[in-house]
C-alpha cells in the first residue's frame, strides 16, 4: 500500500462550494493536491470562502465557475484550469441537484434540468478532462459522486434524480471502458443519506430520519467524511487496477 499522497496533483471537484464537494476538495488539498473548485457562479462568496479555507491551511485552490451542464462554460473552465495549473490529474464529478417532486408534480423542464446537471454534467466534464489527460499522457483519475438512488428507489419523489443517478452509474462504466487504454480510471461513489443543504428540508422531519436510520444496518446517517475517504481511495495510486466500479457508501442500506 502506497501512502495516500496527492502532492502536486491537480484536482478538479465540481460543486465544491459546499456540502460533500467542499469536503472532498478539503481532503484532497490536505494531502497536497492543487485544487480547482467549481460551482455554477451564482453565489461566488460561498466558493471563495471554500478556497480561502484551503489556502489558510497552506493549500492551493482557485475557483473556476461553470454550470457543468453547459458545454461552453465547461470548455472555459477547463481552459482556465489548464492555463493556471498546466494540466489535470483528477476530476471529481460531484455537482448535483435533487428537487423532491412526485410523478404528477414534476414538470418536463424540471425533469430535463435534473438530467442535464446530474448526468450530462458528468459527460461534459469527463470528456473535457479526459481530453486534457490524454493529450498530456500519463493517465488520470475520474471519480463520480452518484447515489444509491441510482440502484433502487429510495424516495418516490426522486423520480428524475434516481433516473439521472442510474444513468450516471452506467456512464461511469462506459467511461471506464472508453478510457482504460489511456491509463485513466473511472469509478463512482454511491452515498446513502448524508445531511447537507440538498436534503435539509426533507431531513427536518424526525420521522424521515428515523425511517432511514431504522433501515440502515449500521444505524446512522452518513457524513461528508465517509464519502471523502472513498473518493480519496479511488483517486489515489492505490486504486490503479480499479475501474468501472460502483462503491456503495451507505451504512448497509441497500445491502
Ligand atoms: P449540496 O450541498 O446541495 O451541494 C451541491 C453542490 O453542487 C453545490 O456546490 C452547488 O453549487 C453545486 N452545483 C449545483 N448545480 C451545479 C451546476 N449546474 N454546475 C456546477 N455545480 C453545481 O449537495 P451535496 O449533498 O453536497 O451533494 C453533492 C453530490 O452528492 C450530489 O451529486 C448529490 O446528488 C450526491 N449525493 C448526495 C447525497 C446526500 O444525502 N447528501 C446522497 C447521495 C448522493 P452552489 O453552492 O453554487 O449551488
Amino acid at each position: 500500500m502506497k501512502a495516500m499522497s496527492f502532492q502536486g496533483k491537480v484536482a478538479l471537484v465540481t460543486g465544491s462550494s459546499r456540502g460533500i464537494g467542499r469536503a472532498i476538495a478539503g481532503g484532497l488539498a490536505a494531502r497536497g493536491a492543487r485544487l480547482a473548485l467549481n460551482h455554477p457562479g451564482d453565489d461566488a462568496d460561498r466558493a471563495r470562502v471554500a478556497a480561502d479555507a484551503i489556502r489558510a491551511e497552506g493549500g492551493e485552490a482557485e475557483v473556476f465557475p461553470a454550470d457543468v451542464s453547459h458545454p461552453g462554460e465547461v470548455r472555459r473552465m477547463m481552459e482556465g484550469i489548464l492555463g493556471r495549473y498546466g494540466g489535470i490529474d483528477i476530476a471529481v464529478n460531484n455537482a448535483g441537484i435533487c428537487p423532491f417532486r412526485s410523478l404528477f408534480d414534476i414538470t418536463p423542464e424540471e425533469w430535463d434540468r435534473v438530467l442535464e446537471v446530474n448526468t450530462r454534467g458528468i459527460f461534459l466534464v469527463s470528456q473535457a478532462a479526459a481530453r486534457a489527460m490524454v493529450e498530456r499522457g500519463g493517465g488520470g483519475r475520474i471519480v463520480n459522486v452518484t447515489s444509491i438512488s441510482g440502484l433502487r428507489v429510495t424516495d418516490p419523489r426522486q423520480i428524475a434524480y434516481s433516473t439521472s443517478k442510474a444513468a450516471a452509474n452506467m456512464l461511469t462504466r462506459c467511461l471506464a471502458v472508453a478510457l482504460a487504454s489511456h491509463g485513466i480510471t473511472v469509478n463512482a461513489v454511491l452515498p446513502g443519506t448524508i445531511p447537507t443543504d440538498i436534503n435539509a428540508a426533507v431531513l427536518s422531519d424526525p420521522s424521515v430520519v428515523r425511517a432511514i436510520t431504522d433501515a440502515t444496518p449500521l444505524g446512522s446517517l452518513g457524513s461528508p467524511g465517509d464519502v471523502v475517504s472513498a473518493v480519496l481511495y479511488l483517486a489515489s495510486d492505490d486504486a490503479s487496477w480499479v475501474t468501472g466500479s460502483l462503491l456503495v457508501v451507505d451504512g448497509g442500506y441497500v445491502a
Side-chain angles (χ1 to χ4, degrees):
M1 176 131 160
K2 301 149 198 146
M4 211 183 281
S5 166
F6 296 94
Q7 201 61 45
K9 302 251 187 207
V10 177
L12 162 67
V13 183
T14 67
S16 43
S17 54
R18 55 183 160 145
I20 294 170
R22 184 172 173 173
I24 294 168
L28 286 164
R31 288 161 184 80
R34 310 166 77 199
L35 259 295
L37 303 182
N38 155 267
H39 74 128
D42 49 14
D43 184 358
D45 282 350
R46 203 156 34 200
R48 226 178 294 126
V49 168
D52 286 346
I54 289 174
R55 289 192 208 106
E57 298 286 317
E60 206 176 337
E62 193 152 319
V63 181
F64 297 89
D67 177 339
V68 294
S69 72
H70 192 288
E73 294 188 26
V74 169
R75 197 176 49 246
R76 277 193 293 281
M77 172 178 73
M78 201 53 64
E79 285 167 0
I81 294 167
L82 299 180
R84 167 75 167 80
Y85 292 122
I88 179 165
D89 301 289
I90 297 162
V92 181
N93 286 302
N94 165 81
I97 56 172
C98 181
F100 286 79
R101 298 271 188 284
S102 64
L103 174 61
F104 297 114
D105 293 334
I106 188 165
T107 66
E109 292 75 21
E110 287 169 330
W111 170 274
D112 286 348
R113 187 64 191 141
V114 173
L115 271 87
E116 273 175 17
V117 175
N118 294 1
T119 310
R120 180 169 134 124
I122 295 180
F123 157 67
L124 290 173
V125 173
S126 300
Q127 188 186 51
R131 255 197 199 112
M133 290 170 183
V134 168
E135 255 172 45
R136 192 185 57 174
R141 296 273 184 274
I142 296 174
V143 184
N144 301 326
V145 180
T146 65
S147 172
I148 58 166
S149 302
L151 295 180
R152 58 171 281 193
V153 179
T154 51
D155 185 321
R157 295 164 302 168
Q158 293 182 330
I159 183 162
Y161 181 78
S162 297
T163 304
S164 74
K165 294 294 187 178
N169 287 339
M170 193 60 206
L171 176 56
T172 301
R173 292 179 157 155
C174 294
L175 292 167
V177 172
L179 294 170
S181 65
H182 299 284
I184 299 167
T185 67
V186 188
N187 295 286
V189 176
L190 286 61
T193 304
I194 290 165
T196 66
D197 292 346
I198 211 169
N199 49 24
V202 172
L203 297 182
S204 65
D205 179 347
S207 70
V208 171
V209 175
R210 206 171 320 113
I212 297 169
T213 52
D214 284 353
T216 303
L218 289 178
S220 65
L221 302 181
S223 72
D226 293 318
V227 182
V228 175
S229 306
V231 171
L232 291 187
Y233 166 64
L234 292 170
S236 75
D237 290 343
D238 287 334
S240 58
W241 205 55
V242 180
T243 199
S245 78
L246 307 178
L247 177 51
V248 171
V249 178
D250 72 342
Y253 186 92
V254 298

PDB file of all heavy atoms in Angstrom, residues 203-237:
ATOM      1  N   LEU A 203     -34.988  16.234   5.684  1.00  0.00           N
ATOM      2  CA  LEU A 203     -34.483  15.639   6.932  1.00  0.00           C
ATOM      3  C   LEU A 203     -34.875  16.436   8.173  1.00  0.00           C
ATOM      4  O   LEU A 203     -34.582  16.012   9.297  1.00  0.00           O
ATOM      5  CB  LEU A 203     -32.959  15.486   6.868  1.00  0.00           C
ATOM      6  CG  LEU A 203     -32.413  14.537   5.791  1.00  0.00           C
ATOM      7  CD1 LEU A 203     -30.893  14.442   5.874  1.00  0.00           C
ATOM      8  CD2 LEU A 203     -33.028  13.144   5.899  1.00  0.00           C
ATOM      9  N   SER A 204     -35.547  17.588   7.976  1.00  0.00           N
ATOM     10  CA  SER A 204     -36.005  18.338   9.150  1.00  0.00           C
ATOM     11  C   SER A 204     -37.181  17.616   9.829  1.00  0.00           C
ATOM     12  O   SER A 204     -37.551  17.941  10.951  1.00  0.00           O
ATOM     13  CB  SER A 204     -36.414  19.762   8.761  1.00  0.00           C
ATOM     14  OG  SER A 204     -37.539  19.710   7.915  1.00  0.00           O
ATOM     15  N   ASP A 205     -37.721  16.625   9.159  1.00  0.00           N
ATOM     16  CA  ASP A 205     -38.795  15.810   9.736  1.00  0.00           C
ATOM     17  C   ASP A 205     -38.152  14.613  10.451  1.00  0.00           C
ATOM     18  O   ASP A 205     -37.603  13.713   9.798  1.00  0.00           O
ATOM     19  CB  ASP A 205     -39.727  15.335   8.609  1.00  0.00           C
ATOM     20  CG  ASP A 205     -40.855  14.456   9.118  1.00  0.00           C
ATOM     21  OD1 ASP A 205     -40.796  14.000  10.285  1.00  0.00           O
ATOM     22  OD2 ASP A 205     -41.784  14.207   8.326  1.00  0.00           O
ATOM     23  N   PRO A 206     -38.201  14.571  11.791  1.00  0.00           N
ATOM     24  CA  PRO A 206     -37.521  13.495  12.531  1.00  0.00           C
ATOM     25  C   PRO A 206     -38.006  12.097  12.130  1.00  0.00           C
ATOM     26  O   PRO A 206     -37.247  11.127  12.200  1.00  0.00           O
ATOM     27  CB  PRO A 206     -37.874  13.776  13.993  1.00  0.00           C
ATOM     28  CG  PRO A 206     -38.356  15.191  14.025  1.00  0.00           C
ATOM     29  CD  PRO A 206     -38.887  15.513  12.668  1.00  0.00           C
ATOM     30  N   SER A 207     -39.265  11.995  11.683  1.00  0.00           N
ATOM     31  CA  SER A 207     -39.769  10.658  11.320  1.00  0.00           C
ATOM     32  C   SER A 207     -39.080  10.155  10.049  1.00  0.00           C
ATOM     33  O   SER A 207     -38.900   8.947   9.867  1.00  0.00           O
ATOM     34  CB  SER A 207     -41.285  10.670  11.146  1.00  0.00           C
ATOM     35  OG  SER A 207     -41.634  11.385   9.982  1.00  0.00           O
ATOM     36  N   VAL A 208     -38.675  11.077   9.193  1.00  0.00           N
ATOM     37  CA  VAL A 208     -37.954  10.674   7.970  1.00  0.00           C
ATOM     38  C   VAL A 208     -36.573  10.142   8.359  1.00  0.00           C
ATOM     39  O   VAL A 208     -36.134   9.085   7.889  1.00  0.00           O
ATOM     40  CB  VAL A 208     -37.815  11.866   6.983  1.00  0.00           C
ATOM     41  CG1 VAL A 208     -36.889  11.520   5.821  1.00  0.00           C
ATOM     42  CG2 VAL A 208     -39.188  12.295   6.476  1.00  0.00           C
ATOM     43  N   VAL A 209     -35.910  10.865   9.253  1.00  0.00           N
ATOM     44  CA  VAL A 209     -34.574  10.438   9.701  1.00  0.00           C
ATOM     45  C   VAL A 209     -34.675   9.068  10.365  1.00  0.00           C
ATOM     46  O   VAL A 209     -33.872   8.166  10.103  1.00  0.00           O
ATOM     47  CB  VAL A 209     -33.962  11.474  10.676  1.00  0.00           C
ATOM     48  CG1 VAL A 209     -32.644  10.973  11.242  1.00  0.00           C
ATOM     49  CG2 VAL A 209     -33.775  12.812   9.981  1.00  0.00           C
ATOM     50  N   ARG A 210     -35.704   8.908  11.204  1.00  0.00           N
ATOM     51  CA  ARG A 210     -35.865   7.638  11.909  1.00  0.00           C
ATOM     52  C   ARG A 210     -36.101   6.490  10.926  1.00  0.00           C
ATOM     53  O   ARG A 210     -35.518   5.409  11.053  1.00  0.00           O
ATOM     54  CB  ARG A 210     -37.021   7.720  12.916  1.00  0.00           C
ATOM     55  CG  ARG A 210     -36.860   6.740  14.057  1.00  0.00           C
ATOM     56  CD  ARG A 210     -37.886   6.962  15.178  1.00  0.00           C
ATOM     57  NE  ARG A 210     -38.144   8.346  15.471  1.00  0.00           N
ATOM     58  CZ  ARG A 210     -39.308   8.989  15.244  1.00  0.00           C
ATOM     59  NH1 ARG A 210     -40.322   8.332  14.714  1.00  0.00           N
ATOM     60  NH2 ARG A 210     -39.458  10.261  15.551  1.00  0.00           N
ATOM     61  N   ALA A 211     -36.910   6.729   9.908  1.00  0.00           N
ATOM     62  CA  ALA A 211     -37.192   5.675   8.922  1.00  0.00           C
ATOM     63  C   ALA A 211     -35.904   5.261   8.203  1.00  0.00           C
ATOM     64  O   ALA A 211     -35.675   4.074   7.951  1.00  0.00           O
ATOM     65  CB  ALA A 211     -38.230   6.171   7.914  1.00  0.00           C
ATOM     66  N   ILE A 212     -35.060   6.242   7.897  1.00  0.00           N
ATOM     67  CA  ILE A 212     -33.807   5.913   7.175  1.00  0.00           C
ATOM     68  C   ILE A 212     -32.844   5.168   8.100  1.00  0.00           C
ATOM     69  O   ILE A 212     -32.273   4.138   7.717  1.00  0.00           O
ATOM     70  CB  ILE A 212     -33.143   7.198   6.623  1.00  0.00           C
ATOM     71  CG1 ILE A 212     -34.060   7.870   5.599  1.00  0.00           C
ATOM     72  CG2 ILE A 212     -31.786   6.870   5.979  1.00  0.00           C
ATOM     73  CD1 ILE A 212     -33.618   9.271   5.192  1.00  0.00           C
ATOM     74  N   THR A 213     -32.680   5.672   9.319  1.00  0.00           N
ATOM     75  CA  THR A 213     -31.711   5.012  10.211  1.00  0.00           C
ATOM     76  C   THR A 213     -32.203   3.610  10.609  1.00  0.00           C
ATOM     77  O   THR A 213     -31.403   2.686  10.729  1.00  0.00           O
ATOM     78  CB  THR A 213     -31.418   5.856  11.472  1.00  0.00           C
ATOM     79  OG1 THR A 213     -32.645   6.212  12.097  1.00  0.00           O
ATOM     80  CG2 THR A 213     -30.668   7.122  11.120  1.00  0.00           C
ATOM     81  N   ASP A 214     -33.532   3.443  10.746  1.00  0.00           N
ATOM     82  CA  ASP A 214     -34.069   2.111  11.053  1.00  0.00           C
ATOM     83  C   ASP A 214     -33.762   1.122   9.927  1.00  0.00           C
ATOM     84  O   ASP A 214     -33.589  -0.072  10.165  1.00  0.00           O
ATOM     85  CB  ASP A 214     -35.590   2.171  11.262  1.00  0.00           C
ATOM     86  CG  ASP A 214     -35.953   2.753  12.628  1.00  0.00           C
ATOM     87  OD1 ASP A 214     -35.031   2.977  13.445  1.00  0.00           O
ATOM     88  OD2 ASP A 214     -37.155   3.009  12.858  1.00  0.00           O
ATOM     89  N   ALA A 215     -33.721   1.631   8.695  1.00  0.00           N
ATOM     90  CA  ALA A 215     -33.478   0.759   7.535  1.00  0.00           C
ATOM     91  C   ALA A 215     -31.990   0.624   7.211  1.00  0.00           C
ATOM     92  O   ALA A 215     -31.624  -0.009   6.222  1.00  0.00           O
ATOM     93  CB  ALA A 215     -34.223   1.313   6.326  1.00  0.00           C
ATOM     94  N   THR A 216     -31.154   1.239   8.045  1.00  0.00           N
ATOM     95  CA  THR A 216     -29.703   1.221   7.802  1.00  0.00           C
ATOM     96  C   THR A 216     -29.034   0.296   8.813  1.00  0.00           C
ATOM     97  O   THR A 216     -29.037   0.598  10.018  1.00  0.00           O
ATOM     98  CB  THR A 216     -29.115   2.659   7.941  1.00  0.00           C
ATOM     99  OG1 THR A 216     -29.798   3.511   7.030  1.00  0.00           O
ATOM    100  CG2 THR A 216     -27.623   2.681   7.654  1.00  0.00           C
ATOM    101  N   PRO A 217     -28.468  -0.834   8.365  1.00  0.00           N
ATOM    102  CA  PRO A 217     -27.885  -1.786   9.324  1.00  0.00           C
ATOM    103  C   PRO A 217     -26.888  -1.151  10.290  1.00  0.00           C
ATOM    104  O   PRO A 217     -26.867  -1.499  11.468  1.00  0.00           O
ATOM    105  CB  PRO A 217     -27.211  -2.819   8.405  1.00  0.00           C
ATOM    106  CG  PRO A 217     -28.071  -2.813   7.178  1.00  0.00           C
ATOM    107  CD  PRO A 217     -28.500  -1.381   6.988  1.00  0.00           C
ATOM    108  N   LEU A 218     -26.074  -0.188   9.827  1.00  0.00           N
ATOM    109  CA  LEU A 218     -25.117   0.448  10.750  1.00  0.00           C
ATOM    110  C   LEU A 218     -25.767   1.550  11.596  1.00  0.00           C
ATOM    111  O   LEU A 218     -25.104   2.187  12.415  1.00  0.00           O
ATOM    112  CB  LEU A 218     -23.893   0.974   9.994  1.00  0.00           C
ATOM    113  CG  LEU A 218     -22.946  -0.117   9.449  1.00  0.00           C
ATOM    114  CD1 LEU A 218     -21.783   0.482   8.674  1.00  0.00           C
ATOM    115  CD2 LEU A 218     -22.411  -1.001  10.575  1.00  0.00           C
ATOM    116  N   GLY A 219     -27.067   1.806  11.379  1.00  0.00           N
ATOM    117  CA  GLY A 219     -27.882   2.557  12.338  1.00  0.00           C
ATOM    118  C   GLY A 219     -27.724   4.064  12.383  1.00  0.00           C
ATOM    119  O   GLY A 219     -28.165   4.694  13.335  1.00  0.00           O
ATOM    120  N   SER A 220     -27.102   4.672  11.370  1.00  0.00           N
ATOM    121  CA  SER A 220     -26.986   6.138  11.394  1.00  0.00           C
ATOM    122  C   SER A 220     -26.960   6.684   9.978  1.00  0.00           C
ATOM    123  O   SER A 220     -26.774   5.934   9.014  1.00  0.00           O
ATOM    124  CB  SER A 220     -25.702   6.563  12.116  1.00  0.00           C
ATOM    125  OG  SER A 220     -24.576   6.134  11.379  1.00  0.00           O
ATOM    126  N   LEU A 221     -27.138   8.000   9.872  1.00  0.00           N
ATOM    127  CA  LEU A 221     -26.902   8.672   8.597  1.00  0.00           C
ATOM    128  C   LEU A 221     -25.392   8.767   8.395  1.00  0.00           C
ATOM    129  O   LEU A 221     -24.618   8.579   9.329  1.00  0.00           O
ATOM    130  CB  LEU A 221     -27.513  10.077   8.617  1.00  0.00           C
ATOM    131  CG  LEU A 221     -29.017  10.169   8.894  1.00  0.00           C
ATOM    132  CD1 LEU A 221     -29.470  11.639   8.854  1.00  0.00           C
ATOM    133  CD2 LEU A 221     -29.824   9.342   7.894  1.00  0.00           C
ATOM    134  N   GLY A 222     -24.966   9.099   7.171  1.00  0.00           N
ATOM    135  CA  GLY A 222     -23.535   9.252   6.903  1.00  0.00           C
ATOM    136  C   GLY A 222     -23.084  10.682   7.126  1.00  0.00           C
ATOM    137  O   GLY A 222     -23.873  11.566   7.491  1.00  0.00           O
ATOM    138  N   SER A 223     -21.801  10.900   6.889  1.00  0.00           N
ATOM    139  CA  SER A 223     -21.246  12.257   6.961  1.00  0.00           C
ATOM    140  C   SER A 223     -20.444  12.490   5.682  1.00  0.00           C
ATOM    141  O   SER A 223     -20.023  11.531   5.027  1.00  0.00           O
ATOM    142  CB  SER A 223     -20.325  12.398   8.169  1.00  0.00           C
ATOM    143  OG  SER A 223     -19.124  11.686   7.920  1.00  0.00           O
ATOM    144  N   PRO A 224     -20.203  13.763   5.318  1.00  0.00           N
ATOM    145  CA  PRO A 224     -19.381  14.017   4.128  1.00  0.00           C
ATOM    146  C   PRO A 224     -18.034  13.296   4.189  1.00  0.00           C
ATOM    147  O   PRO A 224     -17.535  12.811   3.174  1.00  0.00           O
ATOM    148  CB  PRO A 224     -19.219  15.541   4.148  1.00  0.00           C
ATOM    149  CG  PRO A 224     -20.485  16.033   4.802  1.00  0.00           C
ATOM    150  CD  PRO A 224     -20.776  15.005   5.864  1.00  0.00           C
ATOM    151  N   GLY A 225     -17.477  13.167   5.393  1.00  0.00           N
ATOM    152  CA  GLY A 225     -16.186  12.489   5.551  1.00  0.00           C
ATOM    153  C   GLY A 225     -16.210  11.042   5.078  1.00  0.00           C
ATOM    154  O   GLY A 225     -15.209  10.519   4.580  1.00  0.00           O
ATOM    155  N   ASP A 226     -17.364  10.383   5.227  1.00  0.00           N
ATOM    156  CA  ASP A 226     -17.472   8.994   4.749  1.00  0.00           C
ATOM    157  C   ASP A 226     -17.279   8.934   3.233  1.00  0.00           C
ATOM    158  O   ASP A 226     -16.684   7.996   2.697  1.00  0.00           O
ATOM    159  CB  ASP A 226     -18.854   8.413   5.109  1.00  0.00           C
ATOM    160  CG  ASP A 226     -19.029   8.260   6.616  1.00  0.00           C
ATOM    161  OD1 ASP A 226     -18.078   7.816   7.280  1.00  0.00           O
ATOM    162  OD2 ASP A 226     -20.116   8.613   7.122  1.00  0.00           O
ATOM    163  N   VAL A 227     -17.784   9.938   2.536  1.00  0.00           N
ATOM    164  CA  VAL A 227     -17.640   9.985   1.079  1.00  0.00           C
ATOM    165  C   VAL A 227     -16.211  10.375   0.698  1.00  0.00           C
ATOM    166  O   VAL A 227     -15.626   9.833  -0.236  1.00  0.00           O
ATOM    167  CB  VAL A 227     -18.654  10.962   0.443  1.00  0.00           C
ATOM    168  CG1 VAL A 227     -18.531  10.968  -1.073  1.00  0.00           C
ATOM    169  CG2 VAL A 227     -20.073  10.606   0.863  1.00  0.00           C
ATOM    170  N   VAL A 228     -15.646  11.304   1.466  1.00  0.00           N
ATOM    171  CA  VAL A 228     -14.269  11.757   1.189  1.00  0.00           C
ATOM    172  C   VAL A 228     -13.323  10.560   1.174  1.00  0.00           C
ATOM    173  O   VAL A 228     -12.524  10.400   0.243  1.00  0.00           O
ATOM    174  CB  VAL A 228     -13.807  12.796   2.234  1.00  0.00           C
ATOM    175  CG1 VAL A 228     -12.340  13.166   1.998  1.00  0.00           C
ATOM    176  CG2 VAL A 228     -14.677  14.047   2.190  1.00  0.00           C
ATOM    177  N   SER A 229     -13.418   9.697   2.187  1.00  0.00           N
ATOM    178  CA  SER A 229     -12.488   8.554   2.274  1.00  0.00           C
ATOM    179  C   SER A 229     -12.582   7.689   1.020  1.00  0.00           C
ATOM    180  O   SER A 229     -11.558   7.249   0.484  1.00  0.00           O
ATOM    181  CB  SER A 229     -12.831   7.674   3.485  1.00  0.00           C
ATOM    182  OG  SER A 229     -12.870   8.444   4.643  1.00  0.00           O
ATOM    183  N   ALA A 230     -13.795   7.439   0.559  1.00  0.00           N
ATOM    184  CA  ALA A 230     -13.979   6.580  -0.613  1.00  0.00           C
ATOM    185  C   ALA A 230     -13.440   7.264  -1.871  1.00  0.00           C
ATOM    186  O   ALA A 230     -12.781   6.633  -2.715  1.00  0.00           O
ATOM    187  CB  ALA A 230     -15.463   6.250  -0.765  1.00  0.00           C
ATOM    188  N   VAL A 231     -13.700   8.555  -2.007  1.00  0.00           N
ATOM    189  CA  VAL A 231     -13.230   9.292  -3.190  1.00  0.00           C
ATOM    190  C   VAL A 231     -11.698   9.331  -3.202  1.00  0.00           C
ATOM    191  O   VAL A 231     -11.065   9.110  -4.246  1.00  0.00           O
ATOM    192  CB  VAL A 231     -13.811  10.723  -3.230  1.00  0.00           C
ATOM    193  CG1 VAL A 231     -13.136  11.546  -4.327  1.00  0.00           C
ATOM    194  CG2 VAL A 231     -15.323  10.683  -3.442  1.00  0.00           C
ATOM    195  N   LEU A 232     -11.100   9.585  -2.038  1.00  0.00           N
ATOM    196  CA  LEU A 232      -9.630   9.651  -1.976  1.00  0.00           C
ATOM    197  C   LEU A 232      -9.027   8.328  -2.414  1.00  0.00           C
ATOM    198  O   LEU A 232      -8.051   8.300  -3.167  1.00  0.00           O
ATOM    199  CB  LEU A 232      -9.161  10.004  -0.555  1.00  0.00           C
ATOM    200  CG  LEU A 232      -9.454  11.417  -0.053  1.00  0.00           C
ATOM    201  CD1 LEU A 232      -8.770  11.657   1.283  1.00  0.00           C
ATOM    202  CD2 LEU A 232      -9.022  12.479  -1.037  1.00  0.00           C
ATOM    203  N   TYR A 233      -9.594   7.231  -1.950  1.00  0.00           N
ATOM    204  CA  TYR A 233      -9.058   5.918  -2.358  1.00  0.00           C
ATOM    205  C   TYR A 233      -9.120   5.768  -3.882  1.00  0.00           C
ATOM    206  O   TYR A 233      -8.121   5.440  -4.529  1.00  0.00           O
ATOM    207  CB  TYR A 233      -9.844   4.778  -1.682  1.00  0.00           C
ATOM    208  CG  TYR A 233      -9.557   3.453  -2.341  1.00  0.00           C
ATOM    209  CD1 TYR A 233      -8.268   2.907  -2.301  1.00  0.00           C
ATOM    210  CD2 TYR A 233     -10.542   2.767  -3.053  1.00  0.00           C
ATOM    211  CE1 TYR A 233      -7.981   1.714  -2.952  1.00  0.00           C
ATOM    212  CE2 TYR A 233     -10.261   1.579  -3.697  1.00  0.00           C
ATOM    213  CZ  TYR A 233      -8.979   1.058  -3.642  1.00  0.00           C
ATOM    214  OH  TYR A 233      -8.695  -0.112  -4.298  1.00  0.00           O
ATOM    215  N   LEU A 234     -10.282   6.035  -4.469  1.00  0.00           N
ATOM    216  CA  LEU A 234     -10.441   5.823  -5.920  1.00  0.00           C
ATOM    217  C   LEU A 234      -9.600   6.798  -6.739  1.00  0.00           C
ATOM    218  O   LEU A 234      -9.249   6.510  -7.886  1.00  0.00           O
ATOM    219  CB  LEU A 234     -11.932   5.930  -6.299  1.00  0.00           C
ATOM    220  CG  LEU A 234     -12.796   4.800  -5.742  1.00  0.00           C
ATOM    221  CD1 LEU A 234     -14.277   5.101  -5.959  1.00  0.00           C
ATOM    222  CD2 LEU A 234     -12.428   3.457  -6.377  1.00  0.00           C
ATOM    223  N   ALA A 235      -9.269   7.953  -6.157  1.00  0.00           N
ATOM    224  CA  ALA A 235      -8.441   8.945  -6.865  1.00  0.00           C
ATOM    225  C   ALA A 235      -6.947   8.689  -6.665  1.00  0.00           C
ATOM    226  O   ALA A 235      -6.115   9.344  -7.297  1.00  0.00           O
ATOM    227  CB  ALA A 235      -8.788  10.348  -6.365  1.00  0.00           C
ATOM    228  N   SER A 236      -6.624   7.726  -5.819  1.00  0.00           N
ATOM    229  CA  SER A 236      -5.212   7.546  -5.423  1.00  0.00           C
ATOM    230  C   SER A 236      -4.494   6.540  -6.307  1.00  0.00           C
ATOM    231  O   SER A 236      -5.108   5.776  -7.058  1.00  0.00           O
ATOM    232  CB  SER A 236      -5.149   7.056  -3.966  1.00  0.00           C
ATOM    233  OG  SER A 236      -5.531   5.678  -3.916  1.00  0.00           O
ATOM    234  N   ASP A 237      -3.174   6.462  -6.154  1.00  0.00           N
ATOM    235  CA  ASP A 237      -2.370   5.452  -6.849  1.00  0.00           C
ATOM    236  C   ASP A 237      -2.734   4.052  -6.368  1.00  0.00           C
ATOM    237  O   ASP A 237      -2.539   3.073  -7.089  1.00  0.00           O
ATOM    238  CB  ASP A 237      -0.875   5.714  -6.604  1.00  0.00           C
ATOM    239  CG  ASP A 237      -0.410   6.968  -7.331  1.00  0.00           C
ATOM    240  OD1 ASP A 237      -1.122   7.431  -8.245  1.00  0.00           O
ATOM    241  OD2 ASP A 237       0.669   7.492  -6.978  1.00  0.00           O
TER     242      ASP A 237
END
